């Protein structure tokens, strides 16, 4: 969900082409590096059974199997088209099942997995407590839950907030000048994006997880990553509410390019990684 970052999505019909909503972000090497750091937390060996929750098109599933070819891997995602892409990518090397984070305790028997991975998608799981409860049921005793997020309260540095504000403010001004149907408010940030690292620690403790290890790392966003970020629903629809996502993404990318041409810049962001154990 990793690649698409959307374990909580309820959209998705049947069949068709895989979602392009997060395609540009999936292809970005900086994004892949963040997920690579997460995979370092996954135990290797002993034929472990691993659940890649929010597997998207199977990009992280593939990396997991490259690191440990003997693992038994199951991917779960709510988007049937992305699951088709994952099956095409990995064939019979993994099994893929339609569902979301809260559904895993209904999809699989208790204690079925030694490790559960959510690669940069936990922020889009709508009901965190329910999801952690379900994950705890399918993890074996001593099993490990690992996840990361680059989209949480505190991920942005204070020094860079004016750059975000300039990007969004200029794009909104341009939208009004062009007569685009910009709404007054998009209702604020998605609840998942308002969670802090502390909120995740508290939720893991309340769900009974132990041996919690948290690591925050800074990384640099260049213009390519920022353009990919602008194309995602979580950014485009929040920045330009009322405008369809594709048009909003194009306008944000245009504004970003102009902003960068005036004064080249990079943005520093934090990514938080968690590892926790089910007793």
């Amino acid at each position: 969900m990793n690649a698409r970052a959307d374990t909580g999505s309820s959209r998705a019909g049947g069949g068709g082409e895989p979602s392009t909503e997060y395609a540009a972000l999936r292809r970005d090497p900086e994004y892949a590096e963040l997920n690579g750091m997460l995979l370092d937390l996954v135990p290797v060996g002993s034929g472990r059974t691993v659940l890649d929750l929010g597997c998207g098109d199977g990009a992280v599933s593939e990396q997991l199997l490259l690191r440990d070819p003997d693992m038994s891997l199951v991917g779960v995602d709510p988007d049937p088209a992305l699951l088709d892409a994952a099956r095409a990518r990995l064939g019979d090397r993994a099994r893929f099942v339609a569902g979301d984070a809260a559904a895993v305790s209904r999809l699989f028997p208790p204690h079925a997995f030694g490790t559960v991975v959510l690669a940069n998608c936990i922020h889009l799981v709508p009901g965190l407590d329910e999801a952690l409860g379900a994950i705890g049921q399918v993890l074996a005793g001593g099993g490990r839950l690992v996840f990361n997020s680059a989209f949480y309260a505190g991920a942005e540095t204070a020094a860079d907030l004016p750059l975000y504000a300039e990007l969004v403010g200029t794009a909104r001004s341009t939208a009004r000048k062009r007569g685009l149907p910009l709404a007054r408010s998009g209702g604020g940030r998605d609840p998942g994006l308002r969670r802090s690292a502390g909120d995740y620690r508290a939720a893991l403790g309340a769900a009974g997880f132990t041996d919690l290890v948290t690591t925050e790392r800074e990384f640099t966003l260049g213009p390519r990553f920022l353009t990919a970020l602008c194309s995602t629903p979580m950014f485009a629809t929040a920045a330009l509410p009322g405008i369809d996502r594709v048009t909003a993404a194009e306008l944000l990318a245009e504004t970003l390019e102009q902003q960068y041409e005036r004064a080249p810049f990079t943005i520093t962001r934090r990514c938080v990684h968690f590892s926790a154990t089910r007793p």
Side-chain angles (χ1 to χ4, degrees), residues 10 53 86 114 130 185 261:
S10 60
L53 184 49
E130 182 182 9
S185 172
E261 287 177 350

Side-chain angles (χ1 to χ4, degrees), residues 75-161:
V76 168
D77 198 274
D79 188 326
L82 284 172
L83 290 175
D84 287 344
R87 293 183 184 104
R89 179 193 294 268
L90 293 173
D92 61 1
R93 296 164 59 197
R95 181 165 67 96
F96 295 98
V97 179
D100 60 22
V104 294
S105 59
R106 300 189 297 274
L107 294 172
F108 306 105
H111 320 311
F113 299 99
T115 305
V116 174
V117 179
L118 292 95
N120 208 18
C121 61
I122 190 76
H123 46 275
L124 292 180
V125 172
L128 182 61
D129 293 340
E130 182 182 9
L132 290 178
I135 290 167
Q137 292 181 52
V138 300
L139 265 176
R144 188 180 301 183
L145 166 64
V146 301
F147 63 88
N148 65 339
S149 178
F151 305 101
Y152 61 100
E156 304 95 343
T157 64
D160 288 337
L161 288 176

Side-chain angles (χ1 to χ4, degrees), residues 35-37 46 49 84 112 125 138 168 171 195 203 213 222 242 264 266 271:
N35 286 337
M37 295 176 186
S46 303
T49 303
D84 287 344
V125 172
V138 300
V168 174
R195 297 176 194 142
V213 178
T266 57
C271 183

